[in-house]
Amino acid sequence: GQDKRGNGIVVDGARGVTVQNLTVRNHTGNGIYYNNARDYTIQRIDAIKNRTYGIYAFDSYGGVIRDSFGWGSGDSAFYIGQCLGCSALIENIVSKYNYLGYSGTNATGVVIRDSLFQHNGAGIVPNTLPTEELGPNRGTTLYNNRVLNNNYETIPAAGFSETVGIPYGTGIWFPGVENNVAVDNIVKNHKSFGILITPSADSDLPMNNTVLHNVIRNSDSDEDGYGYDLAWDGSGADNCFSGNDFKGETGPPDIETLYACENRPFAGIPFPPVSAFVAAAVPTVATRDQEEPPEPKRPRCQRGRPGCDLGKKHHPSHHGSSRHSGARH
């Protein structure tokens, strides 16, 4: 994209289109953009420094995104939005150095599993917003993911990061969503929250979300005295926490006793230390420092990568170390 062209690949209103085995980088908008598509497959893609989204599926159904890498997007590397009964699967992806590792606005019926979210502003963020139809976000399942060190604050602004702040240093955030499930994930080394449930930026309430059997560690990684492994500000109802393995504080204290899943239904009790922190984080978008993220260390030469000239003959080791067998560039 040379930081000039808007989108790398656009699939609009089509069925059964697969995009695979390529690198898409440095577009001002999106690397790969599916709009009003059906039965789509995206696999073995490197989406690098596409300014808004790396891989973006909007109003699209029956999709699979797998075995892919996303880096350096000002909104999110991977996004599924505005679909009711999306029937979408994201698996075995790596998402690093983005504002959000995953964002899913008003998407119902998405499974995210077996993936790594690391060094983003926040890791996995299904969400509800009025900017798209078919809200609220419902029925996102997060299973067996590693969510690590998502404390990155300086991505250049694009998309969501131009207008809305976030509680940086959050692993999994459920803002204003319903019937989402986080189960068997590893969530470590965040400076604010391991797993957080709050209203959306537009005050949609979180309802009936389940946080079960996750491993959470070190949610005050900056050691400033504020950080919760598990947190709910008390808005909404029936958000439950059971069987999680954690060592740090929870907000409120004894969250698994107060809001155990077997005790549903229940209303939330306001917990101001969490609601005040998130409320203060949301308006700070205009004041943050912005800095170009580093180039990713990918295992092969890629067309368009600085310092990479595919016109020259390369040493065989460039190809022998390729992550994707049979990848074409």
Side-chain angles (χ1 to χ4, degrees):
Q2 299 177 317
D3 293 315
K4 297 177 182 178
R5 288 184 284 276
N7 297 303
I9 296 171
V10 178
V11 178
D12 192 358
R15 181 183 294 273
V17 177
T18 295
V19 179
Q20 64 183 10
N21 296 341
L22 57 87
T23 298
V24 55
R25 61 156 63 235
N26 296 97
H27 294 84
T28 61
N30 314 297
I32 297 172
Y33 176 26
Y34 278 75
N35 178 59
N36 188 27
R38 300 292 185 273
D39 304 328
Y40 61 93
T41 302
I42 302 167
Q43 58 190 7
R44 296 186 296 277
I45 298 297
D46 278 9
I48 298 170
K49 291 191 177 182
N50 301 289
R51 294 301 164 180
T52 307
Y53 299 105
I55 295 173
Y56 180 25
F58 179 80
D59 190 25
S60 296
Y61 295 82
V64 177
I65 302 171
R66 62 161 62 100
D67 303 330
S68 294
F69 175 87
W71 179 288
S73 290
D75 197 307
S76 61
F78 298 88
Y79 179 94
I80 294 173
Q82 191 179 294
C83 46
L84 182 61
C86 310
S87 299
L89 170 65
I90 296 175
E91 63 180 358
N92 195 33
I93 58 121
V94 173
S95 182
K96 295 184 177 183
Y97 285 98
N98 309 282
Y99 194 58
L100 306 176
Y102 167 83
S103 176
T105 301
N106 301 358
T108 298
V110 177
V111 174
I112 304 171
R113 69 186 184 193
D114 304 326
S115 296
L116 172 64
F117 299 85
Q118 187 173 26
H119 297 309
N120 305 287
I124 308 177
V125 187
N127 58 82
T128 300
L129 287 172
T131 52
E132 296 182 10
E133 299 176 359
L134 306 180
N137 174 294
R138 287 158 283 177
T140 303
T141 298
L142 314 180
Y143 170 70
N144 197 39
N145 300 289
R146 290 180 297 147
V147 187
L148 312 174
N149 302 86
N150 293 285
N151 304 299
Y152 175 49
E153 299 189 21
T154 57
I155 186 74
F160 191 68
S161 64
E162 292 180 308
T163 58
V164 181
I166 60 173
Y168 292 101
T170 299
I172 295 170
W173 183 21
F174 285 163
V177 302
E178 299 182 6
N179 302 319
N180 279 217
V181 177
V183 58
D184 290 338
N185 302 284
I186 296 173
V187 185
K188 293 184 176 181
N189 301 328
H190 296 94
K191 69 178 188 178
S192 302
F193 303 99
I195 302 177
L196 170 66
I197 300 177
T198 71
S200 71
D202 199 54
S203 301
D204 302 278
L205 296 179
M207 303 292 291
N208 202 52
N209 298 292
T210 302
V211 179
L212 189 68
H213 300 316
N214 302 281
V215 175
I216 307 100
R217 292 288 188 277
N218 195 25
S219 299
D220 181 18
S221 63
D222 58 356
E223 298 182 346
D224 67 350
Y226 185 96
Y228 296 106
D229 283 351
L230 301 168
W232 175 23
D233 73 346
S235 61
D238 296 329
N239 300 297
C240 78
F241 304 79
S242 289
N244 297 286
D245 180 348
F246 58 95
K247 301 294 185 183
E249 296 184 13
T250 67
D254 299 319
I255 198 169
E256 290 204 334
T257 301
L258 187 61
Y259 299 128
C261 294
E262 61 267 25
N263 292 339
R264 283 171 169 162
F266 46 71
I269 301 169
F271 188 70
V274 170
S275 55
F277 184 96
V278 175
V282 170
T284 60
V285 62
T287 61
R288 68 184 180 89
D289 293 334
Q290 298 181 38
E291 183 178 333
E292 184 72 14
E295 284 290 317
K297 295 180 180 179
R298 304 303 289 147
R300 62 188 176 281
C301 188
Q302 298 175 318
R303 188 181 303 277
R305 179 174 179 173
C308 175
D309 183 358
L310 290 180
K312 296 180 180 179
K313 183 177 181 180
H314 292 289
H315 190 277
S317 64
H318 281 280
H319 302 285
S321 64
S322 176
R323 181 173 61 95
H324 303 318
S325 177
R328 299 177 67 182
H329 303 284

